[in-house]
Amino acid sequence: MPYLVCSEGHHVASGMLNRWTLQPGITDVKSQVQAMAPFVTSTLGKKVTMIFPDFALRHRGDGRRWLLEIVGFWTREYVERKLARLRAAELPNLVLCLDESRNCADAAVPPSSRLIRFHRWIDAAAVLRVIE
């Protein structure tokens, strides 16, 4: 999968975002299926949860890697189940971004250090605060 340089506005000049590259989650479905085939066959009959994040962020210097998932329409129950699954999967390097304008429920979302709320666009500085 190709890595794309991710930079936005003043973050470019400051050098904050230049340390990270952004990789789309699924760009070549055939390659994804071929890569997942051994896992799928080895877990047949077992209850597993597969997570397909929207993006991967990789630090250019030390290779740290974070996964970023953008959540569209959601409810509090959905977010709670999602966070529980992520804890069970032991994926501390995954960040959920929730679009506040697409909330399908009025209830408050449980607080999480890996959760970023946004309206219309994701603030790059907010992502950096979580991953650095």
Side-chain angles (χ1 to χ4, degrees):
M1 281 188 230
Y3 280 96
L4 307 173
V5 175
C6 176
S7 297
E8 180 179 312
H10 68 278
H11 297 98
V12 176
S14 70
M16 286 172 43
L17 217 48
N18 294 347
R19 295 186 301 268
W20 294 87
T21 54
L22 178 70
Q23 178 185 12
I26 296 180
T27 57
D28 179 2
V29 175
K30 182 180 178 183
S31 295
Q32 290 288 331
V33 170
Q34 289 172 339
M36 292 301 302
F39 171 77
V40 171
T41 56
S42 69
T43 57
L44 284 175
K46 299 176 184 174
K47 184 176 180 179
V48 297
T49 299
M50 297 177 70
I51 299 167
F52 295 95
D54 297 299
F55 298 98
L57 296 152
R58 183 180 54 85
H59 193 277
R60 290 181 177 195
D62 59 21
R64 283 179 290 154
R65 191 161 182 237
W66 281 82
L67 305 174
L68 183 81
E69 184 169 339
I70 301 169
V71 179
F73 295 100
W74 54 273
T75 63
R76 177 188 174 102
E77 294 77 23
Y78 170 83
V79 173
E80 287 174 343
R81 283 193 314 271
K82 185 75 151 177
L83 292 173
R85 286 181 181 150
L86 295 175
R87 281 190 293 275
E90 297 179 2
L91 287 174
N93 63 336
L94 191 134
V95 177
L96 288 180
C97 298
L98 296 178
D99 185 345
E100 289 188 333
S101 67
R102 297 179 183 249
N103 183 359
C104 297
D106 292 330
V109 174
S112 170
S113 59
R114 299 182 297 173
L115 191 115
I116 297 173
R117 294 172 181 252
F118 70 95
H119 182 72
R120 298 179 63 162
W121 63 83
I122 299 170
D123 180 15
V127 174
L128 288 173
R129 282 191 297 273
V130 172
I131 67 176
E132 293 205 318

